[in-house]
């Protein structure tokens, strides 16, 4: 079975632009979470979606938004990009039925903001 | 106080020895605990999950949980150079649907 997939792998944007990152969970997983990881730090929780509803939100500004589609794939949108948004963005999916069960990570999207 | 704390290292251990990684957490109601391994430039990979007090063994890895002390650890026996990576401790919060990660401990296995 395929693991969590994310696209694109790498992305370069300039300040003020908008970006959309995509994630497909493991088949059968209904929960998707998004994390931001800057160099030297652990992943920071941004959002969790379960059955297309937002179940959790981290301490990120409203410039960050997400949604989950009927097929359980998800998009993370970031508006008005800042230099500090440069990071590895990770998507994780978890087993159905439990929202904070074991999470399996995709390969990530490396975002560079110039 | 950080919600999940780890010593950033680097922790240097000779090949074949036991590596011991530690983590403390602040949410006394937390029920789920995870250890992830992350190689440089890669995404985190799950090693172990633990939910009950005591030890849980999987191959060369043993996770230990002490909820009274709010402490979770990971032991790696017979350390190999391929174990050199950053190890992330993660804890699910009792009050919200989210998992909090520590900043990670960098482990280096020297031949």
């Amino acid at each position: 079975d395929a693991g969590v997939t994310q696209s694109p792998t790498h992305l370069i944007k300039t300040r003020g632009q908008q970006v959309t990152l995509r994630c497909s969970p493991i088949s059968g997983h209904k929960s998707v979470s998004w994390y931001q990881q800057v160099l030297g730090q652990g992943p920071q929780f941004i959002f969790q979606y379960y059955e297309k509803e937002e179940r959790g939100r981290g301490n990120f500004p409203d410039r960050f938004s997400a949604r989950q589609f009927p097929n359980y794939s998800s998009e993370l949108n970031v508006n008005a990009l800042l230099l500090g948004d440069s990071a590895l963005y990770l998507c994780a999916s978890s087993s159905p039925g439990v929202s904070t069960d074991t999470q399996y990570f995709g390969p990530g999207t490396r975002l560079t903001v110039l | 106080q950080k919600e999940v704390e780890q010593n950033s290292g680097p922790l240097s251990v000779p090949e074949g020895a036991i590596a011991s990684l530690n983590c403390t957490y602040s949410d006394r109601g937390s029920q789920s605990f995870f250890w992830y391994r992350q190689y440089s430039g890669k995404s985190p990979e799950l090693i172990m999950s633990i939910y009950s007090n005591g030890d849980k063994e999987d191959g060369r890895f043993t996770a230990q949980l002490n909820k009274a002390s709010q402490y979770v650890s990971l032991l790696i026996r017979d350390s190999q150079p391929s174990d050199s990576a950053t190890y992330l401790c993660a804890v699910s919060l009792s009050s919200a649907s989210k998992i909090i990660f520590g900043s990670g401990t960098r482990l280096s296995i020297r031949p």
Side-chain angles (χ1 to χ4, degrees):
Chain A
D1 282 344
V4 178
T5 59
Q6 292 186 244
S7 64
T9 305
H10 295 87
L11 205 50
I12 298 175
K13 293 285 188 179
T14 57
R15 282 178 295 174
Q17 286 189 309
Q18 175 265 341
V19 68
T20 298
L21 311 180
R22 295 177 176 82
C23 170
S24 292
I26 292 170
S27 178
H29 284 194
K30 299 180 181 180
S31 179
V32 169
S33 298
W34 286 96
Y35 294 83
Q36 179 196 67
Q37 187 177 25
V38 298
L39 198 62
Q41 298 294 318
Q44 298 294 308
F45 174 78
I46 308 175
F47 287 109
Q48 185 189 49
Y49 277 78
Y50 178 68
E51 288 276 18
K52 303 182 290 295
E53 291 190 3
E54 182 183 302
R55 286 296 186 92
R57 173 185 285 256
N59 294 325
F60 281 81
D62 292 343
R63 299 185 296 108
F64 289 77
S65 63
R67 55 180 175 169
Q68 187 176 31
F69 298 99
N71 66 353
Y72 304 110
S73 67
S74 178
E75 287 183 350
L76 175 70
N77 294 286
V78 186
N79 293 323
L81 285 167
L82 304 174
L83 295 179
D85 295 330
S86 295
L88 178 67
Y89 287 84
L90 296 162
C91 173
S93 75
S94 53
S95 301
V98 182
S99 61
T100 54
D101 208 342
T102 305
Q103 304 208 351
Y104 299 90
F105 284 90
T109 294
R110 174 74 60 184
L111 172 64
T112 301
V113 182
L114 302 176
Chain B
Q1 180 188 8
K2 288 184 180 179
E3 291 173 296
V4 179
E5 294 204 57
Q6 297 180 254
N7 188 320
S8 62
L11 175 65
S12 182
V13 172
E15 185 175 354
I18 296 175
S20 178
L21 304 163
N22 304 315
C23 173
T24 58
Y25 60 94
S26 61
D27 180 8
R28 188 170 287 279
S30 294
Q31 297 293 324
S32 304
F33 306 87
F34 309 91
W35 283 101
Y36 288 83
R37 176 176 62 197
Q38 187 173 27
Y39 293 112
S40 181
K42 302 294 185 181
S43 64
E45 172 192 10
L46 180 71
I47 300 175
M48 298 275 289
S49 59
I50 186 166
Y51 305 96
S52 304
N53 278 330
D55 295 359
K56 179 181 178 182
E57 186 174 320
D58 184 0
R60 295 187 296 111
F61 299 95
T62 299
Q64 299 174 317
L65 175 61
N66 184 326
K67 290 185 179 180
S69 300
Q70 295 174 243
Y71 176 91
V72 59
S73 66
L74 179 70
L75 301 178
I76 306 174
R77 291 183 298 280
D78 187 24
S79 296
Q80 303 297 309
S82 60
D83 295 326
S84 297
T86 295
Y87 289 81
L88 298 163
C89 172
V91 177
S92 68
L93 297 186
S94 58
S95 61
S97 296
K98 61 180 180 179
I99 291 180
I100 302 299
F101 284 78
S103 57
T105 297
R106 193 154 48 95
L107 175 65
S108 176
I109 307 300
R110 56 182 189 270

